[in-house]
């Protein structure tokens, strides 16, 4: 059986040191329940911090903790010091990432020492994973505390199957870009094979950030990073459905329900349950109640608002201030409207036992879930599920991920007091049949996509992505195939090289002048061309003057402007061409250049090119489509073609391409060995005309007509160097 290593900041077990020794208690959160189902499919171990700092324990106690956690709970501890917790957990995780990712930019702290602690602790987690992971283990990392861990783990275990799930919002690029360590965070995540989010918006924001900041292209959630494909996908987390739908049958819950009903006869109950966090919008909710009671005196003494706030991150200053603000607001409203027999708000600042929580869900007529931002919000789903009678109204913020799935509730903008006051009035007067109708639809949905299904789907996609990577790897030129290629090369009397330049012999740069070949590359080409058995041809999209000045004296065959110009001995045009069409096309390209900052036009003798490598990637993706649309009709009449290359759109005469130029050489002799290498869409034309004996190599992982792929441009040079050496023997 394969093992599953679940990794999160906190273990689902808490250890406390009391006078009589160490106490272990298990917490049954949604995540633990969801993953519980996977425990049956895999032999699982949970890795994380056990909630007690290493300063409070000695070596012997830590040994005891480690063995007891493993034998009783299948957990493995990561021991963190008080200093780690201060800086990594309270610090970078909760003072930098948490507010930033929830759009509370005014609360964000950028402090290098916190970042360094975050890095150090993520590194520490990767050491622990490395210690205990076996070859076939699947590693599933959770949440914003451990965003660097996928990369650190990949460095130690290059072939591991790694998934990452992000439980909080992933903000839009405009917010994410504020983080000084944004690239490191993205690179950290991209160590995973799959990265999961609650909603499509978060997935889109993440993809857009990797595109804009790291330059990685993506299609349908698949990112083509340097040498791997990685998936970003949406998995809205569900709840342990039965736990909440069946809770009402539990006698303990029944007792609590009876008690509640007795103490609140004839009153409509409005409930709200949250961790005490500024993202949850608790003061705003209290203000709504205040306005509601002010405007609707008939509801006074008829409703009761039960506010449950669970203590959270009590060391962080903003949380302390928020606690004070809520205390004051509750006091003010209770003082203002309360009567001898009626207190409008029941405020409990504590963590409630499960039977009381579910009894509250059961009796509440209205549940107010109005966070200002929330990754998902499970309370919303739990409330609907616990309503076995079908009666009850959920008022849900559109800023919670859950709003995407619970569209039948009353959805509100939590920043609009007016909207929320109206929603409350609507909820309190909604006919019972309507409540039942709305809730039944949602209950079915929550039941179908519960936490078990969520976890299983995530794992399925992870396994599928790994399979795709393996299929991709099968297209990579293997060491065996390389040996065969080298031996065919050695045995061949006549050998032809068809080499693309940009992105193949040199890394891909944006501007023409940046791409001048270095002395090593020239040396290498000279060496290959010097062998009388070899014919080396360079096929480039560049203009002939540049190519001539760089390579004119090396004894190579040269092709320029994607096949317009050919040099075997002297430069000649592949067929007589005219450029009198340029006057019509140039103004259109100029317009796009002006509208797309960073883009520029290159004019070659018989082609015009719009380059957008240096432009904003998202803007240029839109502009490219617009430009091509605009050019299509025009070019058809003028007998021109539009060529889409790497970050370029080129307009040139029809029927000209690298393949046609390559045929000059291919058909010219009876070659025993042909090697064609390219990275661009324009190189596909060369691959297409190759005879069967040829080796064709595509640089990068995208699909191609070539027989094999090479992972990176560096691999091209390594191969050519080996060939140059092989020729000497
Ligand atoms: C993060 C994201 C995302 C709360 N108070 C009591 C209690 N709870 C339980 C609830 C629920 C859970 O805690 C809270 O989950 P939420 O989803 O509402 O919120 P976060 O803690 O902020 O969680 C969030 C989640 O991760 C999962 O990905 O949905 O957006 O912020 O299950 O039942 N349970 C008991 N007593 C309480 O007083 N027994």
């Amino acid at each position: 059986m394969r093992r599953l290593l679940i990794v999160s900041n906190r273990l689902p077990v808490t250890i406390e040191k009391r006078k009589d020794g160490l106490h272990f208690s298990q917490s049954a959160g949604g995540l633990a329940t969801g993953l519980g189902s996977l425990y049956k499919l895999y032999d699982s171990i949970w890795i994380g911090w056990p909630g007690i700092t290493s300063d409070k324990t000695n070596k012997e106690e830590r040994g005891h903790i480690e063995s007891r956690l493993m034998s009783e709970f299948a957990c493995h501890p990561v021991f963190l010091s008080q200093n780690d917790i201060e800086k990594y957990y309270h610090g970078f995780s909760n003072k930098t990432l948490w507010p930033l990712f929830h759009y509370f930019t005014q609360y964000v702290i950028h402090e290098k020492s916190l970042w360094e602690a975050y890095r150090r602790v993520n590194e520490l987690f990767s050491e622990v994973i490395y210690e205990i992971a076996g070859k076939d283990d699947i590693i599933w990392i959770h949440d914003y505390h451990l965003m660097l861990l996928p990369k650190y783990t990949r460095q130690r275990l290059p072939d591991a199957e790694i998934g990452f799930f992000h439980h909080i919002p992933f903000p839009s690029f405009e917010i994410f870009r504020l983080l000084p360590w944004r690239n490191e965070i993205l690179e950290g995540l991209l160590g995973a094979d799959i990265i999961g989010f609650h909603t499509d918006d978060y997935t889109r924001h993440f993809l857009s950030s990797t595109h804009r900041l790291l330059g990685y292209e993506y299609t349908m959630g698949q990112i083509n990073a340097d040498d791997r494909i990685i998936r970003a996908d949406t998995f809205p987390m569900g709840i342990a459905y039965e736990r909440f739908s069946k809770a009402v049958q539990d006698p303990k819950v029944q007792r609590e329900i009876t008690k509640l009903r007795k103490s609140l006869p004839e009153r409509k109950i409005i409930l709200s349950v949250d961790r005490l966090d500024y993202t949850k919008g608790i003061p705003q909710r209290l203000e709504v109640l205040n306005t509601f009671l002010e405007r609707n005196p008939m509801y006074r003494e008829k409703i009761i608002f039960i506010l449950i706030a669970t203590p959270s991150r009590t060391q962080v200053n903003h949380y302390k201030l928020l606690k004070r603000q809520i205390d004051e607001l509750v006091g003010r409203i209770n003082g203002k409207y309360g009567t001898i027999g009626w207190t409008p708000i029941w405020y409990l600042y504590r963590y409630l036992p499960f039977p009381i929580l579910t009894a509250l869900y059961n009796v509440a007529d209205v549940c107010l879930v109005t966070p200002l931002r929330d990754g998902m919000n499970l309370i919303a789903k739990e409330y609907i599920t616990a309503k076995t009678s079908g009666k009850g109204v959920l008022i849900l913020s559109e800023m919670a991920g859950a709003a995407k799935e619970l569209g039948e509730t009353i959805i509100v903008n939590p920043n609009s007091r007016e909207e929320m006051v109206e929603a409350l009035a609507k909820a309190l007067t909604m006919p019972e049949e309507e409540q039942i109708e709305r809730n039944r639809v949602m209950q079915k949905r929550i039941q179908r996509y519960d936490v078990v299904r969520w976890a299983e789907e995530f794992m399925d996609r992870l396994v599928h992505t790994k399979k795709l990577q393996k299929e991709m790897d099968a297209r990579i030129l293997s060491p065996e195939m390389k040996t065969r290629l080298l031996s065919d090369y050695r045995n061949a009397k006549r050998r032809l090289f068809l080499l693309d330049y940009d992105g193949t012999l040199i890394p891909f740069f944006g501007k023409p002048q940046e791409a001048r070949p270095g002395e090593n590359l020239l040396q290498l080409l000279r060496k290959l061309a010097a062998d009388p058995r070899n014919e080396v041809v360079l096929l480039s999209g560049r203009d002939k003057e540049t190519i001539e000045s760089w390579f004119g004296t090396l004894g190579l065959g040269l092709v320029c402007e994607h096949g317009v110009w050919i040099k075997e001995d002297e430069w000649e045009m592949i067929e007589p061409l005219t450029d009198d069409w340029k006057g019509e096309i140039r103004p259109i390209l100029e317009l796009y250049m002006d509208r797309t900052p960073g883009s520029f036009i290159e004019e070659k003798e018989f082609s015009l090119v719009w380059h957008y490598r240096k432009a904003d990637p998202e803007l240029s993706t839109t502009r490219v489509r617009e430009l091509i649309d605009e050019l299509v009709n025009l070019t058809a009449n003028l007998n021109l073609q539009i060529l889409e290359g790497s970050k370029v759109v080129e307009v040139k005469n029809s029927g000209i391409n690298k393949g046609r130029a390559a045929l000059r050489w291919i058909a010219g002799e009876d070659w025993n060995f042909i090697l064609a290498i390219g990275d661009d869409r324009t190189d596909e034309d060369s691959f297409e005309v190759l005879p069967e004996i040829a080796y064709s190599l595509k640089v990068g992982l995208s699909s191609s007509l070539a027989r094999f792929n090479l992972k990176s441009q560096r691999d091209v040079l390594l191969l050519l160097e080996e060939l140059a050496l092989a020729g000497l023997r």
Side-chain angles (χ1 to χ4, degrees):
M1 202 199 289
R2 296 187 72 182
R3 283 199 321 178
L4 171 64
L5 306 183
I6 298 151
V7 192
S8 64
N9 168 56
R10 279 288 271 114
L11 285 177
V13 179
T14 295
I15 302 172
E16 276 176 284
K17 196 170 180 179
R18 298 192 198 142
K19 280 198 191 105
D20 58 344
L22 293 166
H23 282 252
F24 291 66
S25 57
Q26 189 152 21
S27 54
L31 191 58
T33 320
L35 299 171
S37 67
L38 295 176
Y39 269 69
K40 291 176 213 127
L41 291 175
Y42 304 90
D43 171 15
S44 309
I45 298 177
W46 198 313
I47 299 169
W49 182 54
I52 185 165
T53 55
S54 45
D55 321 53
K56 289 194 186 142
T57 50
N58 58 37
K59 203 167 167 219
E60 195 188 324
E61 285 170 322
R62 287 197 289 275
H64 170 68
I65 290 175
E66 190 168 324
S67 59
R68 218 178 131 191
L69 277 176
M70 186 50 78
S71 60
E72 284 179 37
F73 303 97
C75 287
H76 188 94
V78 179
F79 289 111
L80 301 178
S81 66
Q82 189 56 39
N83 182 47
D84 290 336
I85 289 298
E86 278 310 317
K87 293 188 160 162
Y88 139 83
Y89 178 70
H90 294 305
F92 197 75
S93 298
N94 288 330
K95 288 184 185 154
T96 308
L97 293 176
W98 178 269
L100 183 75
F101 280 45
H102 286 85
Y103 295 70
F104 277 78
T105 50
Q106 71 277 28
Y107 287 5
V108 177
I109 285 175
H110 295 141
E111 217 176 284
K112 196 154 168 252
S113 66
L114 304 184
W115 161 246
E116 275 160 5
Y118 185 81
R119 270 184 18 198
R120 197 181 56 244
V121 171
N122 273 253
E123 192 71 62
L124 187 64
F125 267 79
S126 78
E127 274 168 31
V128 174
I129 293 177
Y130 184 66
E131 241 171 63
I132 66 170
K135 202 172 124 289
D136 291 327
D137 291 353
I138 300 176
I139 301 162
W140 190 3
I141 301 165
H142 289 266
D143 229 357
Y144 66 103
H145 317 90
L146 300 174
M147 293 169 94
L148 300 175
L149 187 54
K151 176 179 167 182
Y152 293 163
T153 309
R154 173 81 50 215
Q155 284 168 343
R156 290 172 190 271
L157 300 162
D159 298 323
E161 236 160 275
I162 305 174
F164 181 92
F165 192 81
H166 189 75
H167 288 263
I168 64 173
F170 197 94
S172 96
F173 168 69
E174 285 301 333
I175 297 289
F176 181 68
R177 71 193 299 196
L178 300 174
L179 187 69
W181 306 280
R182 59 206 185 173
N183 285 18
E184 286 89 335
I185 291 283
L186 291 178
E187 276 157 7
L189 288 174
L190 290 174
D193 297 303
I194 183 162
I195 304 151
F197 301 91
H198 283 307
T199 73
D200 283 334
D201 287 339
Y202 307 156
T203 309
R204 207 163 35 77
H205 292 160
F206 169 74
L207 286 168
S208 145
S209 290
T210 52
H211 185 39
R212 284 169 169 228
L213 293 167
L214 303 181
Y216 293 138
E217 302 283 344
Y218 60 88
T219 21
M220 315 269 289
Q222 191 170 301
I223 303 167
N224 290 329
D226 285 340
D227 54 0
R228 288 162 59 240
I229 52 160
I230 298 153
R231 199 163 179 81
D233 214 337
T234 308
F235 306 89
M237 188 173 171
I239 59 163
Y241 187 82
E242 305 243 308
R243 191 160 177 254
F244 290 90
S245 65
K246 297 219 165 117
V248 67
Q249 295 164 15
D250 181 343
K252 275 193 239 146
V253 178
Q254 278 299 337
R255 267 199 300 278
E256 294 300 334
I257 293 177
T258 316
K259 263 201 260 171
L260 278 164
R261 290 220 187 283
K262 220 185 256 170
S263 48
L264 297 165
E266 305 300 314
R267 287 209 170 116
K268 290 260 187 189
I269 302 172
I270 303 164
L271 175 69
S272 109
V273 185
D274 312 84
R275 270 186 316 97
L276 193 134
D277 195 297
Y278 50 80
T279 61
K280 303 286 183 182
I282 302 172
Q284 290 79 352
R285 212 176 294 163
L286 288 167
E287 291 293 0
V288 167
L289 184 77
N290 182 25
T291 310
F292 180 80
L293 289 173
E294 197 172 276
R295 291 194 194 159
N296 302 286
M298 69 281 196
Y299 275 109
R300 294 183 195 166
E301 301 198 64
K302 298 284 184 308
I303 59 169
I304 185 123
F305 184 60
I306 304 183
L307 175 68
I308 315 294
T310 313
S312 179
R313 303 173 197 167
T314 43
Q315 281 102 319
V316 180
N317 207 29
H318 289 300
Y319 289 74
K320 288 185 194 151
L321 294 174
L322 176 70
K323 164 82 173 48
R324 198 181 308 152
Q325 190 188 0
I326 294 171
D327 289 354
E328 282 171 12
L329 261 170
V330 169
R332 178 155 65 79
I333 297 171
N334 277 345
K336 186 168 164 193
Y337 300 104
T339 59
I340 298 297
W342 177 61
T343 308
I345 305 169
W346 282 13
Y347 171 36
L348 308 184
Y349 176 61
R350 77 190 72 126
Y351 188 84
L352 301 179
F354 183 74
I356 302 188
L357 177 74
T358 41
L360 280 168
Y361 285 156
N362 196 278
V363 298
D365 299 286
V366 178
C367 186
L368 266 176
V369 179
T370 56
L372 302 174
R373 284 286 158 181
D374 214 335
M376 170 54 77
N377 197 297
L378 299 176
I379 307 273
K381 293 185 174 182
E382 292 168 2
Y383 173 74
I384 297 287
T385 306
K387 285 289 174 200
T388 40
S389 68
K391 284 179 274 179
V393 183
L394 172 67
I395 298 177
L396 179 60
S397 158
E398 66 178 72
M399 309 298 170
K404 302 272 175 221
E405 292 166 274
L406 306 179
E408 292 81 4
T409 61
I410 303 181
I411 305 278
V412 291
N413 178 342
N415 300 304
S416 164
R417 196 180 302 174
E418 288 304 314
E419 216 180 282
M420 290 213 279
V421 169
E422 268 173 42
L424 192 50
K426 185 173 171 188
L428 288 167
T429 52
M430 188 182 285
E432 283 189 355
E433 312 79 70
E434 187 181 341
Q435 299 179 20
I436 294 170
E437 204 177 304
R438 288 175 183 236
N439 289 339
R440 291 287 178 236
V441 183
M442 290 187 282
Q443 281 170 344
K444 280 211 188 95
R445 198 175 300 132
I446 299 171
Q447 184 176 20
R448 265 200 310 276
Y449 203 92
D450 68 352
V451 69
V452 174
R453 171 106 181 266
W454 166 78
E456 286 174 356
E457 292 230 329
F458 183 89
M459 292 304 285
D460 275 0
R461 291 308 282 179
L462 170 57
V463 172
H464 177 75
T465 306
K466 209 65 197 173
K467 218 170 99 201
L468 270 184
Q469 285 180 356
K470 287 203 177 117
E471 280 168 21
M472 212 49 178
D473 281 350
R475 287 193 43 84
I476 304 279
L477 184 73
S478 64
E480 297 74 43
M481 201 37 90
K482 190 166 168 187
T483 312
R484 213 153 104 194
L485 184 152
L486 285 167
S487 129
D488 284 354
Y489 176 75
R490 264 189 227 106
N491 297 332
K493 290 204 179 69
R494 290 294 292 152
R495 309 137 162 178
L496 174 64
F497 289 78
L498 298 167
L499 306 175
D500 167 51
Y501 181 59
D502 292 82
T504 299
L505 295 180
I506 53 149
F508 191 86
F509 294 112
K511 292 196 174 154
Q513 64 272 21
E514 288 169 352
R516 181 181 289 278
E519 197 41 48
N520 286 350
L521 175 62
L522 292 174
Q523 197 67 23
L524 176 61
L525 292 172
R526 216 175 271 132
K527 213 186 283 173
L528 285 170
D531 190 321
R533 288 164 293 183
N534 291 355
E535 186 70 41
V536 181
V537 182
L538 221 66
L539 299 105
S540 170
R542 288 176 178 267
D543 64 82
K544 112 172 166 316
E545 285 63 39
T546 309
I547 291 294
E548 174 63 29
S549 72
W550 289 349
F551 302 104
T553 59
L554 299 189
L556 312 177
L558 299 175
V559 173
C560 290
E561 291 195 33
H562 292 120
V564 171
W565 289 101
I566 291 183
K567 181 183 178 188
E568 286 181 275
D569 299 312
E570 292 301 322
W571 283 108
E572 57 175 308
M573 217 187 285
I574 195 150
E575 67 179 38
L577 300 169
T578 63
D579 67 351
D580 49 11
W581 49 268
K582 279 183 176 172
E584 269 189 73
I585 301 293
R586 196 183 295 106
I588 301 175
L589 297 190
E590 276 167 359
L591 181 70
Y592 277 80
M593 178 175 77
D594 294 339
R595 291 175 62 206
T596 319
S599 73
F600 62 95
I601 296 171
E602 183 190 3
E603 180 155 355
K604 296 186 270 190
E605 272 178 83
F606 294 98
S607 47
L608 283 173
V609 195
W610 182 61
H611 289 259
Y612 57 90
R613 177 87 188 163
K614 297 276 168 174
D616 178 277
E618 299 216 324
L619 176 66
S620 42
T621 308
T622 323
R623 291 278 194 263
V624 168
R625 305 276 44 102
E626 287 171 14
L627 172 63
I628 290 176
D629 268 2
E630 203 165 329
L631 287 173
V632 163
N633 289 333
L634 211 67
T635 49
N637 298 337
L638 294 170
N639 198 26
L640 298 172
Q641 60 176 330
I642 307 163
L643 221 129
E644 269 193 83
S646 281
K647 307 287 181 191
V648 294
V649 175
E650 178 154 356
V651 182
K652 61 175 354 128
N653 297 72
S654 297
I656 310 288
N657 62 49
K658 284 189 181 179
R660 189 166 154 205
L663 272 175
R664 281 273 185 111
W665 278 272
I666 296 169
E669 260 194 62
D670 204 3
W671 304 99
N672 316 108
F673 174 91
I674 301 179
L675 174 63
I677 317 181
D679 75 311
D680 198 341
R681 262 175 271 182
T682 59
D683 298 310
E684 297 296 312
D685 294 324
S686 316
F687 297 149
E688 202 175 358
V689 298
L690 292 173
E692 241 172 62
I693 62 131
Y695 287 92
S696 48
L697 302 176
K698 160 96 178 174
V699 184
L701 293 178
S702 44
S703 58
S704 164
L705 294 171
R707 281 171 66 192
F708 305 102
N709 289 55
L710 285 178
K711 277 195 172 175
S712 72
Q713 185 269 330
R714 284 183 303 279
D715 293 343
V716 177
L717 295 187
L718 291 177
L719 176 67
L720 292 180
E721 270 156 21
E722 279 190 65
L723 287 168
L725 277 178
L728 293 179
R729 275 181 222 132

